[in-house]
Amino acid sequence: MARGNDGQRPATGIPARSPMNGPDADEPPEHWRYARHLESLAAAPGPGGGAQAEAEVVAAVLRDPDRVMAESAVVTHLDRRAVQLLAEEEFPAWARAMATALAGRAFPERRLREWNLLKAVTCGEAWSAEELTAASDWCQRTAARLPTSYEALTLLATDARTRRVRNAAAERLRRGTVV
């Protein structure tokens, strides 16, 4: 199998192969299933096609016996879809449908809660300083990168958990790249 950019799907780094082919002999089966799960999630109908249909695909992936791998695929999907929907009116309905599908899965549930927080921060909705300062390093880094309010960047510049986030937020404030 070819390795490198020629043998990969664009922007994923996942080796290209026909969905009908199984894993390579030297490839662990969970790697193959992870790639298949990402493909099925990417092909799931988006919010225009029904958030419930997408939630059913998410639930199907979460039934994989390898819980960690399945949750990782779902979180990757959540990140990709949430970025697309962050400023859209479909986001709340999508998030509610995802919350139902993710019930009882701590890591994906937390990521979805943090996407809801990021939506609030970036779209001028209600959020609290306690929520943002208690959020994960990932959420704080993402908030410092997204079009974020002056209030959120000021908070992150002073109270973010990591120096990396504090510096990124302070730099955005200095440059004036605030919503």
Side-chain angles (χ1 to χ4, degrees), residues 17-24 27-37:
R17 68 173 69 102
S18 166
M20 301 309 279
N21 294 341
D24 291 340
E27 180 181 37
E30 63 271 14
H31 291 196
W32 181 81
R33 289 195 328 273
Y34 178 81
R36 300 296 75 76
H37 289 326

Side-chain angles (χ1 to χ4, degrees), residues 54-145:
E54 183 178 357
E56 290 170 12
V57 175
V58 167
V61 169
L62 289 173
R63 287 192 290 273
D64 188 285
D66 187 336
R67 183 179 182 104
V68 172
M69 181 272 301
E71 288 181 4
S72 178
V74 166
V75 167
T76 298
H77 174 71
L78 290 177
D79 291 347
R80 291 173 179 172
R81 185 74 84 202
V83 165
Q84 296 170 347
L85 296 175
L86 203 56
E88 304 298 326
E89 63 185 37
E90 295 95 348
F91 186 93
W94 172 80
R96 282 190 302 276
M98 291 301 107
T100 301
L102 301 175
R105 304 292 188 124
F107 178 51
E109 283 182 320
R110 178 173 180 156
R111 183 58 62 92
L112 184 62
R113 277 193 310 275
E114 289 182 334
W115 274 113
N116 280 305
L117 174 59
L118 289 167
K119 172 147 178 67
V121 168
T122 60
C123 295
E125 299 169 4
W127 57 275
S128 72
E130 294 79 24
E131 283 180 292
L132 190 54
T133 55
S136 70
D137 294 348
W138 171 86
C139 183
Q140 291 182 0
R141 276 193 314 273
T142 304
R145 269 195 327 265

